[in-house]
Structure formats: structure tokens, C-alpha cells
Amino acid sequence: MSSVDDVLSGLDPEQRAVAEAVRGPVCVLAGAGTGKTRAITHRIAHAVRSGVVDAPSVLAVTFTTRAAGELRQRLRALGAPGVQARTFHAAALRQLTYFWPRVIGGEAPSVIESKLPVLSEACRRLRRGADRSELRDIASEVEWAKVTQIGPEDYAAAAAKYNRTPPVPAEELARLYDAYEQIRRERHLVDFETILELTAAVMTEHQEVAAQIRQQYRYFVVDEYQDVNPLQKLLLDTWLGGRDDVCVVGDPNQTIYSFTGATPRYLTGFAVEHPDAAVIKLVRDYRSTPQVVDLANLVIAKGRSPHRLELVAQRPDGPRPGFHEYDDEPAEAAGVARAIRKLLDQGVPSREIAVLFRTNSQSEAYEEALAKAELPYVVRGGERFFERPEVRQAVVLLRGAARSASDEPLASEVHHILAGLGLTPAPPGGGKAREKWESLRALADLAEDMAAEGADLHGFVAELERRASEQHAPPVEGVTLASLHAAKGLEWDAVFLVGLTDGMLPIVYAETPEQIEEERRLLYVGITRARQHLTLSWALSRAPGGRKGRRPSRFLDGLTGRASSSAAARPPGPARERRQVAAPVSCRICAKTLVAAAEQKLGRCATCPADYDEDLLESLKAWRTATAKEGKIPPYVVFTDVTLQAIAERVPRTEQELLSIPGVGRVKLDRYGEAVLSLCRSAS
């Protein structure tokens, strides 16, 4: 067990300042790779070991089950095993379940893991259809409303106020939201947002409950504070009950979840809320080379945020980040696969390489390229490790084997069981078979590691169950494919940031200055995932032979070492804000000047007759639905109904004809033009 001095040794001056600030309020502004988890765990351990607080009185709140598990593991090693480290939802659910029989009575409600089944029932009650993709978008919007404390009756007004773009008309979404809440209450269900809301309400309405919880927890630490939403802040304030023994940790540069209701204002305004707070900045970056850190600093410095942190690299020099332009997306994916092969040949493990992209729909090209090159890969953000069929089957067999006496060594027994599920000495070539093999190999490697520490099969199964509860998967050998959002909190030796074009990063539907800045921070998050090797790339067209009209992301202007076509295409300074007066649009049938936006898109008065191919319109709508589902975006983001109607009426045959239709800009022409024109040509 470590002494108090041992707990503080090995910390840099700023980390030590955090550890020694054992009384709140404390705000830690921690940049990427600066050792924030180390700082806050040593702070908690120092407070416990020096007698400032008892371990069971500490509640450390995180955003993921895995992060909570890591905190508990580190605190055990530092001699503070009794500290409670949980997610907001887990901590609240535990309290709500405990007090429910006493203050409300009866059986506690069941927790729903997904809103989709209940929303599907709400759609049926309102006699409307919705595919799974649209249901996911509706669920996201309901979650935003709930975490920002907006009820169904106020949703439409709030959506307009906050410039939301719901997947269905705001009034319709409000009705679905109301029906969802009615069904949830009828069936005695709670979702994650309701858990937080009810816990805060029970504490507010029942002072004896509040007193007991506040007697239990006196010392709070909140990680990733830039991602806290209003509902979580309400619960935290209710837990505190006017006390200020709280330490918050976060990075304003990594605020990338504003669309879910998260807001950095609680972090950036902490010193205003608590004027006597200690504010400590961690800027020494131990993760990345100076070359990677310099690029990250340059990208974030070009933004508008007044709260950015400038990192200071602590590692030795490494290779300069590479910038690569390709003719088309398949060429980009093949180029990345070749570069990955070179890194593997140089000894970089495949699990230390990642390909990161803006949307999940971009994954397919890289899965194909890596499979073709016979390179192992793992898609992050897809199926969780412990939910994969082969892993679940392996755990069942291992659990059964542990119940029967056996003198066989752990590693041998596990290998024997996994061999029956498909673990072979040599891996298969690629694809799903390779993914399954890598999952089994990860279990075998973990068994070998634990066998070296003297564990038996019972201990191995117990470790698997612990990891499953904390979603702490063993490392799987393979290149990681992940979205930038899914990559937050992770790091690799080598990172490839791909598809960096205007319209993809920033994404095409990021329109306000705040949304554009969040896209910039998303690129910053991607850059800071790399320890040593970093490559940024983009393709000028979607498919081979396509029009090379794409431009590199505006966030790369001045950074690539080449003239920026995107910078040349956008006027500098105030000219970018200058509004242009559009020429009047006339009805192509009666020549009357059109005023309504929908009529201008159609190019005719709403009352003027127009012929169009109904089959073509249906084909366009079916294509849009499939494209939106693949890209995991609302269908209207691809094209609105009015734009599809205009396309069906005019039946464009060339790119220029398609581009002349309002609602079809350069970005959408490049992304969707070939598919739309193909449908139009087939119809004609």
C-alpha cells in the first residue's frame, strides 16, 4: 500500500497542484494527453490517505462504464478501494431503486435500454409509419428535449428558438414525444433521462432522502465536465445541496456533443459560479509528438473559442504529419491500406493503428480496402465486444467448464474450448471470419496473461464477467475503424484522418458559426488521438472518373503546405458574410414572379399544373431513404421532398441541369449527383 508521499510522487507540478487541492471547489482544465485521469485519481487517493475524506463518501462521476471501471481500478492500486466511481445514470438508478419502495411504494420501474420500441408504438397510435433510421433520429431529438428539460407542449417553440432541424415537422415530433411519454408511464418504464429527473425530484420533495444521500456522499469529482447537459447539472446540484466540495475536470477544446444537449458553459463558467474556486490548467501533453501537438494547436487556434488550451509537447520529435490528396474515394482507401501495410512492416502493431472518419457510412470503403489487402480490422461503434455471438458463446462454455473440476492449466483449457469455436493457429484472410478469429484470439491472449499471474479458470471467468459489466473489452488485434465521435478518449500510435473535404468536415448540415466551430473541435479531437504517426487525406471525387469538384476541408487552409483551393473559393474576411441579392425567380409555366421558397425550388406556382414521372419520384424517394439510412442521417439532409419533386419534374440529364435546381449545391452534386442522374436517365 502506498504512503501519502508515494501518492504525490511522479506527478508534474500542475498534476501535483491538482492532487494537493484536496478541498473544493476545484476546476481542472485538462488538455488532450495531459494525464487528467492520473491527476484526479491521485487527488482522490491523497484526500483519502491523508484523512480529509473517507473513501465511501467520495462519488466520482464519469460518462462511460469503462471510464468508471478504470477509475476504480486505479484507485484500488493507490490504496483507496472504497471510492464509488459510477456514471451519472448508474449512480442515480442505484439511489432511485433504493428509495423507491419507501417514498413512492410498489415495485421500482423497469429501465428501457432503447427508446425505439416505445417510439414505434407511439407511431402506431398516431397512425404513421417510420423506418428504423427515422425512429433513431426521433429518439435523438426526444433525448435532446428531455435533457434540456423541455416538455412535449413546449417542444415546437424550443425547436424554433434553438434552430433545431427535427427529422419530422416540429408539431408532429411533439405529438410523438407526448405519446412516447404516455406509453412509458402506462408501462411503468423509465429511460436514462427519467432516471436522472426522478432522482433529483425525489431528493427535492423528500428532505429525509436528500439528507441521507448527502450524508453518504460529501466529496464529488466529475470527469468530462464539458459534456454535462442541463439535466445532469440539475442532479449534480441536487446532490451537492449547496455544498461546494466538488472537483470538475474537462477540456473546452473537446466539446463535440452540443447536438445532444451537452454544453461547455458549466466548465467555462465554473469560476463565475464558484468565485473562490481553484482553477488549474494541465497543458503538458505526454501523448503526442511535438509535430502532432503543433498541428493540433494550429487547428484550434484558427477557431473562435476564447477558452482554448494550448498544449506543450513533452515527447521527443517524431515524423511530420502527412497530407495526401487522391482522385477518388477508392484510391484514398487503397492508399491508406498501403500506408498501413508499411507501418505493420515497420513493427507497429495493428491494434495501434486507427482510421477515423466523420460518419459511419464512410467505413465501408476502408473495410473493403483492408479486407482486400488481408489486413485485420475492427469496427468500433458497431457491435460491442461482449455482445458478439462468438464471445457470448465462449463465455457460456468457459463458465460451464469452470463448474467442473479440471487440473488442466488455464491457457491450455481456454485454447481447447476456443478451438471448438474456430480459433486456429493461423488467422483466416479477412472479412467476418477474420473478425471472429480476432475476438477469440483476444480471449486467448487474456487467458495467457492471467495464467502468467497464477489465475485459474474460475478467476478468468470472474474477470470476463467484470469486464463485460464495465464494457472493458480485451485488446483485439486489428486496425480500428471508427468515427471521430467514437474515438474520443482513445489513442493510437498511428492515426489516419480520412475524407477531409468541405461538406464532410465540416459536415454539410453544419451551418451556424457554433456548429462550424464544433466541427473544428472534432478535427482537433481526431488529431490528438495520434501518438506519433498522423496522416490526413481527402479525395477529389466520390468514384473513379467522377468530377473532381471536392475541396479539402477549410480547417486545413494554410496547413497542408500547398495552395488551398478551398481558401481560393471562399472570399476572405467580411466578404464571406456579405449577402447577395438573388435575381427574381419566375414561374416556368405562367411567368409570374415566385415568392414562396417551395415554389422557387419547384420553379412554378403551386397552383400551376406540372407533369412529372411518378415512378421516378418514387425511385428518388426510395434511393433517398436508403442513402440516409446508410449515412445515418435524416432523409431531408440528403434532399428535401420539394427538391425531389423539382428533380422529378425537370428530369435533368447533365450535372449542369441538376445543379440549376435549387437545393442542389456543389457539395450535394458531388456526393449524390451520379446516383440521381442515373435514375433520371433510366426514367427518360
Side-chain angles (χ1 to χ4, degrees):
M1 185 173 292
S2 56
S3 67
V4 173
D5 288 339
D6 290 338
V7 169
L8 297 177
S9 65
L11 301 178
D12 70 28
E14 294 79 22
Q15 292 171 346
R16 187 176 180 116
V18 173
E20 291 181 328
V22 291
R23 283 296 185 190
V26 177
C27 177
V28 182
L29 299 175
T34 57
K36 68 178 177 70
T37 304
R38 177 179 174 83
I40 60 174
T41 50
H42 282 251
R43 176 182 184 269
I44 295 170
H46 180 43
V48 170
R49 300 298 306 282
S50 59
V52 172
V53 65
D54 294 329
S57 297
V58 181
L59 180 58
V61 187
T62 71
F63 275 77
T64 67
T65 305
R66 178 171 182 174
E70 183 183 353
L71 276 179
R72 289 194 293 270
Q73 188 173 356
R74 291 198 188 196
L75 288 166
R76 281 196 296 269
L78 290 170
V83 171
Q84 298 296 303
R86 302 181 183 278
T87 64
F88 271 104
H89 298 108
L93 181 60
R94 194 170 187 230
Q95 295 166 11
L96 186 65
T97 304
Y98 180 81
F99 288 105
W100 188 279
R102 183 196 309 181
V103 300
I104 298 176
E107 187 178 348
S110 301
V111 180
I112 55 174
E113 296 289 332
S114 169
K115 292 180 173 63
L116 300 192
V118 180
L119 277 172
S120 181
E121 173 63 23
C123 287
R124 286 194 291 272
R125 285 193 181 184
L126 295 178
R127 297 181 179 178
R128 75 177 304 280
D131 60 24
R132 192 169 183 84
S133 177
E134 188 177 56
L135 282 176
R136 281 197 296 265
D137 295 332
I138 294 170
S140 297
E141 198 65 11
V142 169
E143 286 168 6
W144 171 80
K146 296 192 74 170
V147 302
T148 50
Q149 296 286 273
I150 295 166
E153 67 282 1
D154 299 319
Y155 172 78
K161 177 181 177 181
Y162 293 106
N163 296 315
R164 302 292 292 186
T165 53
V168 298
E171 293 77 11
E172 186 176 351
L173 198 140
R175 290 193 294 272
L176 285 168
Y177 179 10
D178 186 50
Y180 166 85
E181 288 290 87
Q182 289 179 21
I183 295 168
R184 183 185 60 73
R185 287 190 290 266
E186 288 169 6
R187 298 181 181 175
H188 201 45
L189 304 172
V190 290
D191 53 28
F192 289 136
E193 296 78 33
T194 307
I195 291 168
L196 305 189
E197 191 174 30
L198 285 177
T199 303
V202 166
M203 289 184 68
T204 301
E205 295 171 11
H206 300 272
Q207 290 304 308
E208 71 281 8
V209 173
Q212 187 170 338
I213 291 175
R214 290 169 187 158
Q215 177 68 22
Q216 169 69 52
Y217 296 117
R218 304 170 178 233
Y219 199 84
F220 294 84
V221 177
V222 186
D223 196 10
E224 302 288 2
Y225 201 58
Q226 79 280 350
D227 291 333
V228 165
N229 62 47
L231 185 53
Q232 291 165 333
K233 181 64 162 62
L234 170 67
L235 178 59
L236 176 63
D237 289 343
T238 308
W239 280 337
L240 286 167
R243 300 169 295 174
D244 62 3
D245 223 341
V246 58
C247 172
V248 301
V249 189
D251 180 4
N253 290 356
Q254 297 190 67
T255 303
I256 60 172
Y257 292 108
S258 295
F259 63 93
T260 67
T263 172
R265 71 174 183 268
Y266 303 127
L267 175 65
T268 58
F270 189 85
V272 176
E273 184 181 2
H274 302 278
D276 57 340
V279 180
I280 305 167
K281 294 183 178 180
L282 302 182
V283 295
R284 301 176 194 243
D285 188 319
Y286 297 96
R287 175 187 299 161
S288 306
T289 63
Q291 288 73 18
V292 172
V293 169
D294 287 348
L295 181 61
N297 285 336
L298 283 171
V299 166
I300 211 69
K302 288 175 175 284
R304 301 154 53 100
S305 172
H307 303 289
R308 58 180 176 266
L309 296 172
E310 184 170 346
L311 300 174
V312 180
Q314 305 296 301
R315 288 190 57 181
D317 281 344
R320 293 171 61 86
F323 297 90
H324 296 283
E325 184 176 276
Y326 295 90
D327 286 343
D328 51 68
E329 287 183 4
E332 184 180 11
V336 168
R338 288 193 298 271
I340 289 173
R341 172 63 69 189
K342 288 182 181 179
L343 288 172
L344 295 175
D345 292 343
Q346 293 168 14
V348 180
S350 60
R351 66 175 176 273
E352 289 295 346
I353 303 173
V355 179
L356 308 181
F357 30 75
R358 176 61 178 84
T359 67
N360 288 322
S361 62
Q362 294 169 273
S363 173
E364 184 178 358
Y366 294 90
E367 292 181 52
E368 291 180 2
L370 294 179
K372 186 176 181 180
E374 296 189 352
L375 299 174
Y377 65 85
V378 178
V379 181
R380 187 174 181 85
E383 199 171 31
R384 292 180 174 179
F385 179 83
F386 285 100
E387 293 172 0
R388 296 176 184 175
E390 64 272 15
V391 174
R392 291 164 58 185
Q393 190 177 2
V395 171
V396 169
L397 293 176
L398 290 165
R399 192 181 290 126
R403 287 195 289 266
S404 59
S406 173
D407 295 329
E408 190 175 358
L410 171 60
S412 300
E413 190 162 7
V414 170
H415 271 272
H416 177 74
I417 292 170
L418 298 182
L421 296 177
L423 181 63
T424 56
K432 294 296 182 183
R434 180 63 180 258
E435 281 191 71
K436 176 181 177 180
W437 187 91
E438 293 291 354
S439 298
L440 299 175
R441 180 71 254 176
L443 293 174
D445 289 345
L446 180 62
E448 291 175 5
D449 291 342
M450 292 188 65
E453 298 170 2
D456 59 10
L457 189 57
H458 287 281
F460 179 63
V461 170
E463 174 67 8
L464 289 180
E465 291 172 346
R466 181 190 71 80
R467 284 171 173 259
S469 68
E470 297 176 357
Q471 287 303 324
H472 182 193
V476 176
E477 196 62 44
V479 176
T480 299
L481 302 179
S483 71
L484 289 164
H485 283 101
K488 187 171 179 288
L490 305 175
E491 58 187 80
W492 296 269
D493 284 346
V495 169
F496 293 83
L497 301 178
V498 301
L500 301 181
T501 58
D502 255 8
M504 186 56 74
L505 193 72
I507 199 74
V508 66
Y509 47 84
E511 297 174 346
T512 67
E514 293 77 15
Q515 290 169 338
I516 296 295
E517 284 307 298
E518 183 140 332
E519 295 289 300
R520 178 185 297 278
R521 293 192 294 270
L522 200 53
L523 175 60
Y524 173 87
V525 166
I527 291 171
T528 54
R529 301 310 93 197
R531 299 191 191 104
Q532 185 171 4
H533 304 279
L534 176 64
T535 302
L536 303 91
S537 63
W538 58 92
L540 298 178
S541 69
R542 186 179 65 85
R547 186 179 62 85
K548 299 176 183 178
R550 291 179 174 177
R551 303 183 181 96
S553 169
R554 68 192 71 176
F555 303 144
L556 302 180
D557 288 354
L559 303 179
T560 64
R562 69 181 76 193
S564 173
S565 58
S566 57
R570 292 188 300 273
R576 203 180 304 174
E577 307 297 329
R578 195 177 299 134
R579 295 177 64 88
Q580 295 183 345
V581 179
V585 179
S586 300
C587 175
R588 66 178 187 273
I589 297 171
C590 71
K592 178 183 175 182
T593 299
L594 301 176
V595 177
E599 292 182 338
Q600 290 180 351
K601 276 193 174 184
L602 287 172
R604 62 172 175 83
C605 300
T607 54
C608 284
D611 293 328
Y612 66 91
D613 187 329
E614 293 184 5
D615 290 338
L616 173 58
L617 182 58
E618 290 305 312
S619 297
L620 288 167
K621 287 183 176 180
W623 163 82
R624 181 183 63 174
T625 298
T627 301
K629 185 175 183 181
E630 180 185 2
K632 296 185 177 179
I633 57 177
Y636 67 87
V637 172
V638 181
F639 285 122
T640 64
D641 285 346
V642 175
T643 301
L644 290 186
Q645 174 89 17
I647 293 171
E649 290 184 9
R650 303 190 198 183
V651 195
R653 293 172 178 79
T654 67
E655 289 188 350
Q656 198 58 41
E657 289 177 1
L658 181 58
L659 190 60
S660 69
I661 297 175
V664 183
R666 287 282 179 184
V667 172
K668 290 192 176 183
L669 176 67
D670 185 58
R671 186 169 301 162
Y672 307 126
E674 291 181 26
V676 171
L677 289 173
S678 176
L679 290 172
C680 291
R681 289 165 186 154
S682 297
S684 62

